[in-house]
Every structure is written in structure tokens, then in C-alpha cells.
Amino acid sequence: MAIVFFGLSVLIVLGLVAGVFFLNKYKHPVRRSLQYLFVTAFITILFNALAVIMPDVRMATLFHGLYFAATDWLVIMLLNYTRDYTESKDGGLPAKILIFAGAVADTCSMVVNTFTHHVFVSVAETLSDGEVIYAVNSDVNSNVPVYGLHLVYVYILVILVMVTLWLKIARTVRLYRRKYEALVWSFVLILSANIGYRFVDYPIDISPLLYSVMALSCAYFALFYVPKSIVVKLLSLSVEDMENGILCFDREGKCVYANEVSKKLFNVDSSLAPLEEYFARWRSERGEELKEEAWKEEHEIDGETHYFESHFRFLLDDKGHYVGSFFSIADRTEDYRALEMERYSATHDYLTDIYNRERFFECVEEMIRRDPDVKRVMVCIDVKDFKTVNDLFGEETGNRILKRIAGLMRRDASADTLYARLEADRFAMCMREDNFVEEDYTDYLEDLKKIVKSSVYRMHVHVGVYHIIDPSMSVSVMCDKAFVAIRRIKDSYQQIVSYYTENMGHSVQREKLMVGEFDRAISAGEFQMYLQPQIAVDGYHLLGAEALVRWDHPVRGMISPAEFIPVFEKSGYITRLDRYMWELACRQLRQWKEMGREELHISVNISPKDFYLLNLYDTFTSLVERYGVNPSNLKLEITETALMEELSKHMNLLAKLRDYGFQVEIDDFGSGYSSLNTLQDIEVDVLKLDMGFLRKTSHEERSRIIMNAVIDMSKNLGLTVVTEGVETVEQVHYLTEAGCDVFQGYYFDRPMPIRDFESKYFQAKQ
Ligand code: C2E
Ligand code: CA
Ligand code: CA
């Protein structure tokens, strides 16, 4: 019998040893104290088992003593574990020392007892099968005071364990009490078994085996046990807190759970009955066969449309039996709105709230595909020099103009008209041909110009119209054609609307060709400098000339600058061409200087682009230095348009150039955005009046009055007045009368090659 008990104990011990290693797997904070508990438990069990099988009384007494001592350490470890598990504070160092000293003293006392028997004696007892073992008979020992001390020590520690647990139970939230209560019950059970043994008259103490149960339950409660009620409560709390509405129905269709959100959605408070009705109705709509499904629906809540995404799902138990069902209802209104906003901003222009380019192209394509036989027009609108408008009047005014243009399109749009802002200052509209009325645009846009009130700048808004002939053409090409039509408007002040013709398309082709040929032309010297003489009014003598470029094209012959200058201005090549021309002019001046004609000047043209792309001061000063010519012989012709943008910056530049000795001329005065104010603001040396302007106007008399005034004013400001485009002797007489100093025009000479210029004028002088 004893050997059976021993064998059983060893098995349990091995199990606990394995447990110690097994616990290594867990990173739990109580792992260490659990492992100590396991170790002391198996030592205790082992000593008890060894004591039972000892054949002589001394050895039995020794192991019983060790068993009692081990019990001390086991209970200390239990206390240690309980503190860790309940996260309670320990009693501090003095308490620790006291407990520790008690255990050490008791251990020593138990070992010494082997020889002194001052604590207990082991006596031989006979088991029922006649086997004799040595046991500690409580009847014999209960009167020994030292033995009583050992028991008191152990029970005090046990009481500490229980107190620690009870305190924790008292302090913790109700939901979690379960966890600690379970442990208390398992301790009570073991303790009762232990005490109970004292009343059983059986020589083998089997109660230590229960220590293994204790150690295991400690591990179980710490590592694995989660009371069902906690799970349920936490689950329901998290469902309660979800953004989705959750409704659960049992097998009979009774609503067993509805979270706050779903109650709010269905407008119920405590009673769930309305939800059952709802479910019953919903079910009957589905017919017999109930299926899991998901759907979207809209509901009005407080006058606002809300968008819901709902799911219906079965609840099945682990064997797959139907136990109920639930609805999950998500309010997706915010997501929907965000998506709508996103969709809106992806298809609309943020400033004007009309379609953007991509959306417009898509919709026009779709519209034409649906109804390809309808005759339509593509109408594009463009603000000329919109950048200047922004610079001069501020972005806010610029935005106002853009919004007004969008307003015009909105106003004029019939049901099947599409319109959009394509980019910065460009708009497009696609409509039925018979809906397009030119006057609507001219009047409105004429009116729009009043937004910018300025005496120096007049805004131009142009409309290009393309009659869609081929419905399969890409929408962007249709728009391009309408913009080509706009480009043909050039600098006219009256024209607002321009219609695309095939010729225009060809000229676009030609422009591309010219740009492609630029590099070759400039390195092959195809650009030539022609000179047009400038004649002084007194005695008709030569003062100098304006340098005008000609393109001697190998195939097309002589091309007029009127054709290629605007093209190169657009592409930026003008800057290279101008620099080339200035260099030719300086070389010419140098030659004339060497020929003794140092008094002659050459006027060169400066394109508006040059101001941005070049450092004009460095360019001109280094040119005259390199060729050793007097800067006053190189006159710089600048148009007002070039100056308008960033006026103050350019004024500085002009001042510096004049300080250096160059003469600055305002070109084409009277033909563009000229205004008398400009004369006040801009300090220059020469004013070039354009005769062409005079010819074009219908009120010749008024124009003359103005011209007289301008000449007068210029004289008063100390400016030299040059009139160009002079074709008749009458003009010469009239202008001389009015006070003009210098003439340039066909009446005297056309622009001519240098050789012709020199042979005519230089020989005449000699
Ligand atoms: P612009 O600077 O106003 O030059 C005067 C234009 O008027 C020249 O045309 C000239 O041939 C023309 N003209 C002169 N006298 C008369 C006349 O009595 N009657 C008429 N109807 N026209 C006359 P061109 O040479 O064809 O030049 C046209 C424009 O091309 C120039 O106008 C100028 O803006 C530009 N341009 C010419 N050469 C250059 C250059 O080297 N660089 C730059 N940036 N522009 C140039
Ligand atoms: Ca000029
Ligand atoms: Ca001119």
C-alpha cells in the first residue's frame, strides 16, 4: 500500500516538474511565483512520500520533519503567488524577514527533531493489510508545544493568503470578483481536506497530494480562467459601444438584444417589442426562405437623408444548428457625403463650381455619342493676358471675372448644353448650333470689361467658335480649334468672337513648321537685318534707321516678320532672334563708326518676352562694350504692353539703361493700350507714333485733335516725336505743322537691305 502511495506521489511530482517547464511558455507576470509554488509543492509531496516508505524510524522522522518544513515554504510561496495574482502589496521588509526567519527556524528545528524529538515522534503503525509504516500520529504529538508552533505558523500564513484574497474581492469591480472567488473556493476545499485528515484515523497522510491540485488551480485561474459572465458582459459592452446598430433575435423571432445605436435608429426606448414587429414584417416580406443578405437603404431622420448599409446573418451554434439571427445596421451617411464631395471635387472646378476639363470631355463625348446627328458648336472663351489682370488688379478681381464668365455660361445653358472651366482663364461650352447667339456673348463680355476700371489697361475676353463637323473627333481637338480661332483675333479691340475656318488650321501647321525650322534658320544666317531710314524734318536729312528683321527662307522666299514674329513670341524663340538682331545692329554701328558715320543711330525692337528671359541691362551694356559703340547710337524700342506687366520693376531697368546712355523709345504709341497717363509715368526719350492708327479710325478729325495733343504733350515733356508709317507728302506737312521731329515711312523708303541703304544714303551725302 505504502509503495502504491509512493508511486502515485512520484507521478504527481513528475507532473509538477513538467509543469514548471511548461510554465516557461507563458510571459504572464505571475509565472515566476507559479513556478516557485510548483517546485515547493512537488518537494513537499516528495518528502511526504519518502517518509511513508522509510524502513527505519529515524529516516522516517527526518523525512517527516522535512515534509513539515517544506509545508512552511509551500505556504510562503502560496502567499507570494496570491500577492502577485491579486496585485496586492506585501507587508514590507520587516514582515518578509519575520516570515522568512520563522520558516528557517522551523526548518532547522524539524531537522534537529530527527535526533531530539522535541517537535514530534514518528511511530510504527500497522495498515489494514498488515504492512507497518512510520507515521506522525496527531494524538501523540498534539500536546507538544513546538509542534503547535509549527501549525500556528502555517495557519497564520494561510490566513494571510485568505485575507489577501478577500481584500481583493472587496476592492475589485463586481464583474471581476468571480475570478478571485473561484480561487478562494479551491483553497477552502484543500484546506478542509487537510484539516479533515486530522480526524481520519489513517496512518498515510494523503492530503499533500491535494497540494498539486492547489498548484494547478492557481495556474489555471491565473492563466486560463475567464469567467463566462465577464466574457458576456465585455462582449455586450463592446457591442453596445459599436457604431453599428446590432439587433439579435432568437429562434422564435423574439428580440433578445438591441444595442443603443439600433434603439436610436428604430426610435425605441426600453421595450423591444416594436423591433420584433419590424423583424416579423421584414421576414414576411422575404417569404418562406430566409437568407443571409446585405443591402443599402435610405431613411429620413430629422428631415435629413441618412444612408444605411445593413446585413442580416444567421447565428449558428458550434454544431451548425440555427439558434437565432442578427441584423447589423451601419449609418454610412458621413462616408457617403465624403464620397460625394470627393466625386464632386474630382469633376468640378473649385472656383466656379462648374465642370472641370476631364468631366467636360467625358460628358461631351457621351452627349455626342448619344445623338451624333445634332449640329453642335464648341464655344471657347479666353481672357487675354489674364496674368496681367491678376497682376494689375489682384487675384480677387481675377477670380471675380472667372466667376462671372462661369455665370454667363450657366445663364445661357439650355438643358443639353455642357460647359466647363478647362484651365486658368479658359472656358468651353458645347451646345446646339441654333442655341448659339453671338450677341449674347458680345454684350455680356463687353459689360464684363467694366470690372477692371483702369485708364491704362483694357481687358479683352475672346470667344472662339468651332462648328463640329466630325462628331468622332476628340473633344480636346474641338476645343483646340475653337482656341485657334481665338488666336486669330490678335490685337483687335472690336472683335470679340471668331469662327474657326480650315485656313486657320493650316496656319497652325505652318506655325509648327516655322518653329521647327528656327535653329537651322538662325545658324544658316537666313534672318537678315533690313534698315528703314529715319529722317529729320528739317532739311530731310538722315538720322538713322530702324532695324527690321526679314527671313530669307530657302523655299518660301522672303517672309514678313508680321508672319513669324508672333509665332516666335509664343514659343520664346524671339529672344534668341532679338539678340541676334541686336548684335547685327551693333556690328553695323561699329562699321559706320569706322566709316566716319558716327552720328547715325539704329533702333532695335525689344519683345515683351525679352524682359522675362534676359537680363537686358547686362546684354545691352556688354554688346556696346564689345563692339565699342556709343550707347546713345543704339535706340531701344519698347511697346507699352511690355512695360505694363510689372511696371515698377521695368521702370527701374529703363532708368538704369538711360543712365548708361541708351535712348529708350516707346513704340507703336496710339495703337495699343496707349494712354496719356503712360507718358507721365514712364520716363523715355522718344515717342513713336503710329500713323496706321490714324488711318484706321473713322473719326479722322477727332484723331487729329488727339494726335496734336499727344505731340504737344510730348514736346512739353521734352520727348522727341517720331512718326512711322508716313506714306504721303500731306502727312509730312501736317505732322511737321503739329510739331513732329522725325519721320519713318514708305514715303521716304521701305525697309531695305544694308547694302541698298548704304549705297543710297551714304552716296547721296558724299
Ligand atoms: P514695328 O516695330 O512697328 O515696325 C514698323 C513696321 O511698319 C515695319 O513692318 C515697317 O516695314 C512698317 N512700315 C514702315 N513704314 C511704313 C509705311 O509707310 N506704311 C506701312 N503700311 N507700313 C510701314 P515690318 O518690318 O513688317 O515689321 C512688323 C513688325 O514686326 C514690327 O513693327 C515689329 O513689331 C516686328 N519686328 C520686326 N523686326 C523685329 C525684330 O527684330 N525684333 C522684334 N522683336 N520685332 C520685330
Ligand atoms: Ca519698332
Ligand atoms: Ca512701330
Side-chain angles (χ1 to χ4, degrees):
M1 197 63 210
I3 198 73
V4 173
F5 176 74
F6 180 76
L8 185 65
S9 299
V10 168
L11 277 181
I12 290 174
V13 165
L14 289 176
L16 288 173
V17 172
V20 173
F21 290 105
F22 177 74
L23 282 171
N24 267 333
K25 275 202 336 201
Y26 293 88
K27 286 271 169 295
H28 200 277
V30 300
R31 185 191 67 183
R32 263 283 118 83
S33 47
L34 268 174
Q35 283 176 323
Y36 292 146
L37 189 65
F38 271 50
V39 170
T40 46
F42 78 65
I43 291 175
T44 310
I45 295 169
L46 191 63
F47 284 155
N48 181 51
L50 284 168
V52 169
I53 57 159
M54 282 303 133
D56 84 85
V57 69
R58 174 147 298 166
M59 289 304 280
T61 310
L62 171 66
F63 280 108
H64 277 130
L66 289 174
Y67 159 66
F68 288 133
T71 316
D72 295 346
W73 296 102
L74 173 64
V75 185
I76 290 177
M77 289 311 151
L78 183 64
L79 181 62
N80 182 38
Y81 157 81
T82 313
R83 281 193 172 134
D84 275 1
Y85 178 55
T86 58
E87 293 169 325
S88 312
K89 274 192 284 185
D90 58 27
L93 197 60
K96 271 189 192 160
I97 291 175
L98 208 64
I99 291 172
F100 191 70
V104 171
D106 200 35
T107 305
C108 295
S109 157
M110 288 296 179
V111 174
V112 172
N113 177 69
T114 316
F115 311 101
T116 57
H117 304 257
H118 65 284
V119 187
F120 65 89
V121 288
S122 300
V123 293
E125 297 212 12
T126 314
L127 300 180
S128 50
D129 58 358
E131 194 182 356
V132 175
I133 63 156
Y134 295 96
V136 180
N137 192 315
S138 46
D139 297 340
V140 179
N141 296 302
S142 51
N143 300 330
V144 181
V146 188
Y147 182 67
L149 269 179
H150 163 75
L151 287 181
V152 168
Y153 176 79
V154 169
Y155 286 126
I156 286 178
L157 288 186
V158 170
I159 288 167
L160 275 177
V161 168
M162 295 312 248
V163 168
T164 309
L165 278 169
W166 280 118
L167 281 177
K168 180 69 182 182
I169 288 169
R171 274 197 300 251
T172 199
V173 259
R174 213 175 52 217
L175 192 55
Y176 280 88
R177 285 185 191 156
R178 264 291 175 68
K179 238 179 120 171
Y180 303 104
E181 281 167 2
L183 198 58
V184 169
W185 286 121
S186 79
F187 288 171
V188 167
L189 213 74
I190 291 158
L191 206 62
S192 332
N194 202 287
I195 295 170
Y197 163 74
R198 285 173 210 294
F199 302 102
V200 180
D201 196 17
Y202 188 66
I204 301 178
D205 183 358
I206 55 164
S207 66
L209 296 188
L210 286 175
Y211 297 159
S212 63
V213 177
M214 180 194 70
L216 288 175
S217 47
C218 286
Y220 172 71
F221 288 120
L223 301 179
F224 308 110
Y225 175 68
V226 184
K228 203 59 177 214
S229 58
I230 294 186
V231 179
V232 170
K233 188 68 192 174
L234 289 186
L235 276 179
S236 76
L237 281 176
S238 48
V239 171
E240 199 63 45
D241 210 36
M242 267 167 86
E243 283 171 15
N244 292 9
I246 301 283
L247 295 172
C248 295
F249 294 87
D250 69 6
R251 271 169 26 168
E252 279 72 44
K254 186 171 155 37
C255 183
V256 289
Y257 180 77
N259 70 353
E260 277 310 308
V261 176
S262 65
K263 283 184 195 163
K264 223 180 273 167
L265 286 178
F266 286 91
N267 215 357
V268 299
D269 25 73
S270 50
S271 159
L272 301 180
L275 296 174
E276 276 157 31
E277 280 165 34
Y278 171 83
F279 182 54
R281 213 170 331 121
W282 183 83
R283 234 187 130 140
S284 66
E285 279 167 17
R286 310 280 126 165
E288 282 304 295
E289 190 84 47
L290 206 56
K291 284 199 312 270
E292 294 201 330
E293 53 184 301
W295 68 96
K296 292 178 181 162
E297 55 193 355
E298 290 174 22
H299 288 293
E300 289 278 317
I301 298 178
D302 297 336
E304 259 187 66
T305 309
H306 282 241
Y307 301 89
F308 295 101
E309 263 174 38
S310 306
H311 292 268
F312 173 71
R313 292 261 182 284
F314 295 139
L315 290 168
L316 305 177
D317 68 6
D318 34 7
K319 294 209 179 66
H321 298 305
Y322 173 75
V323 290
S325 55
F326 78 96
F327 288 89
S328 149
I329 304 154
D331 187 343
R332 294 260 178 261
T333 311
E334 266 175 38
D335 297 352
Y336 266 65
R337 298 239 164 93
L339 196 73
E340 256 169 34
M341 280 294 289
E342 211 173 279
R343 219 179 274 154
Y344 187 85
S345 55
T347 53
H348 286 72
D349 169 48
Y350 68 97
L351 180 72
T352 55
D353 266 347
I354 61 178
Y355 278 167
N356 61 17
R357 164 194 287 269
E358 289 72 26
R359 183 71 182 153
F360 177 72
F361 284 5
E362 256 171 46
C363 291
V364 171
E365 225 168 73
E366 169 63 26
M367 180 171 78
I368 293 177
R369 197 178 32 239
R370 245 187 293 125
D371 238 338
D373 296 331
V374 175
K375 290 249 161 293
R376 294 191 173 83
V377 284
M378 182 64 78
V379 180
C380 289
I381 301 179
D382 177 77
V383 183
K384 191 162 186 265
D385 295 329
F386 186 65
K387 191 186 167 301
T388 314
V389 177
N390 272 334
D391 289 351
L392 289 179
F393 307 100
E395 218 166 275
E396 217 173 283
T397 308
N399 287 350
R400 242 173 66 220
I401 292 168
L402 298 178
K403 283 185 191 160
R404 286 278 288 275
I405 295 176
L408 161 74
M409 314 214 306
R410 230 182 248 124
R411 188 197 70 180
D412 276 10
S414 59
D416 53 356
T417 298
L418 292 166
Y419 50 93
R421 180 177 171 210
L422 300 181
E423 60 196 276
D425 58 339
R426 295 181 146 208
F427 295 83
M429 223 175 167
C430 185
M431 62 175 94
R432 284 171 175 272
E433 209 170 72
D434 39 10
N435 283 348
F436 177 72
V437 183
E438 186 179 319
E439 285 70 38
D440 287 352
Y441 293 82
T442 44
D443 295 349
Y444 188 92
L445 296 176
E446 203 52 61
D447 209 40
L448 184 68
K449 289 179 184 172
K450 293 182 190 141
I451 288 190
V452 295
K453 291 187 198 73
S454 162
S455 49
V456 281
Y457 179 80
R458 276 169 63 194
M459 185 177 73
H460 297 280
V461 184
H462 293 148
V463 178
V465 184
Y466 170 65
H467 287 266
I468 300 170
I469 303 159
D470 173 9
S472 67
M473 178 187 280
S474 94
V475 183
S476 87
V477 172
M478 295 174 189
C479 291
D480 284 349
K481 289 188 185 271
F483 282 114
V484 164
I486 288 180
R487 236 178 294 160
R488 296 297 125 184
I489 295 182
K490 295 233 179 86
D491 282 340
S492 161
Y493 308 106
Q494 278 86 35
Q495 193 184 356
I496 288 182
V497 182
S498 160
Y499 293 83
Y500 178 84
T501 61
E502 279 311 311
N503 275 348
M504 293 179 177
H506 297 149
S507 64
V508 170
Q509 286 298 316
R510 256 206 316 273
E511 283 179 11
K512 281 199 184 129
L513 213 66
M514 280 198 278
V515 170
E517 287 179 317
F518 181 83
D519 276 327
R520 186 213 61 223
I522 201 152
S523 50
E526 289 172 22
F527 295 111
Q528 294 174 7
M529 183 173 74
Y530 271 41
L531 295 172
Q532 185 174 32
Q534 295 184 340
I535 309 289
V537 70
D538 53 336
Y540 286 5
H541 75 272
L542 180 74
L543 293 173
E546 178 176 359
L548 293 157
V549 66
R550 295 290 178 267
W551 186 353
D552 190 3
H553 193 278
V555 179
R556 295 178 55 201
M558 206 56 94
I559 310 177
S560 148
E563 193 178 328
F564 61 83
I565 294 283
V567 178
F568 293 149
E569 261 172 352
K570 236 182 284 165
S571 63
Y573 282 142
I574 188 67
T575 300
R576 278 171 68 195
L577 179 60
D578 278 346
R579 255 202 329 226
Y580 178 77
M581 288 292 289
W582 303 336
E583 177 129 22
L584 291 185
C586 286
R587 192 183 300 163
Q588 199 55 56
L589 285 172
R590 171 74 198 195
Q591 260 182 38
W592 287 350
K593 185 176 170 181
E594 283 162 7
M595 290 162 74
R597 303 299 303 259
E598 209 173 347
E599 81 285 1
L600 296 177
H601 70 253
I602 294 183
S603 300
V604 291
N605 289 288
I606 301 176
S607 149
K609 274 260 165 80
D610 297 334
F611 282 85
Y612 294 101
L613 300 177
L614 287 177
N615 181 334
L616 287 179
Y617 184 80
D618 289 354
T619 310
F620 283 120
T621 51
S622 63
L623 262 178
V624 291
E625 270 162 32
R626 186 141 50 89
Y627 285 96
V629 297
N630 189 338
S632 65
N633 286 348
L634 189 67
K635 301 200 178 194
L636 312 178
E637 293 198 2
I638 296 158
T639 59
E640 278 171 281
T641 330
L643 293 176
M644 284 322 298
E645 300 176 11
E646 301 189 67
L647 188 65
S648 63
K649 189 174 139 197
H650 294 157
M651 291 303 298
N652 278 341
L653 172 69
L654 294 193
K656 271 170 67 188
L657 287 167
R658 291 181 71 223
D659 280 349
Y660 189 85
F662 292 104
Q663 294 230 321
V664 177
E665 309 185 0
I666 293 280
D667 200 1
D668 297 346
F669 194 85
S671 80
Y673 313 114
S674 315
S675 95
L676 297 181
N677 288 3
T678 322
L679 288 183
Q680 270 176 13
D681 299 338
I682 304 174
E683 285 186 36
V684 292
D685 306 280
V686 178
L687 196 70
K688 274 188 103 169
L689 283 179
D690 196 68
M691 260 318 273
F693 171 65
L694 255 191
R695 265 194 302 273
K696 264 186 262 167
T697 54
S698 43
H699 309 284
E700 204 178 324
E701 194 44 46
R702 284 173 64 125
S703 302
R704 277 178 185 241
I705 293 171
I706 294 172
M707 198 133 176
N708 282 336
V710 171
I711 295 172
D712 256 10
M713 201 164 127
S714 312
K715 302 260 89 178
N716 288 338
L717 291 168
L719 302 179
T720 304
V721 177
V722 178
T723 311
E724 59 180 335
V726 181
E727 291 179 347
T728 61
V729 69
E730 289 79 24
Q731 286 170 347
V732 177
H733 287 153
Y734 155 66
L735 288 163
T736 314
E737 197 83 345
C740 176
D741 316 281
V742 183
F743 297 99
Q744 179 186 339
Y746 293 171
Y747 173 70
F748 297 98
D749 257 316
R750 291 180 173 256
M752 56 183 94
I754 301 163
R755 197 193 301 240
D756 296 358
F757 183 89
E758 286 179 346
S759 61
K760 175 164 181 192
Y761 285 94
F762 291 8
Q763 259 137 43
K765 189 154 188 216
Q766 281 156 9

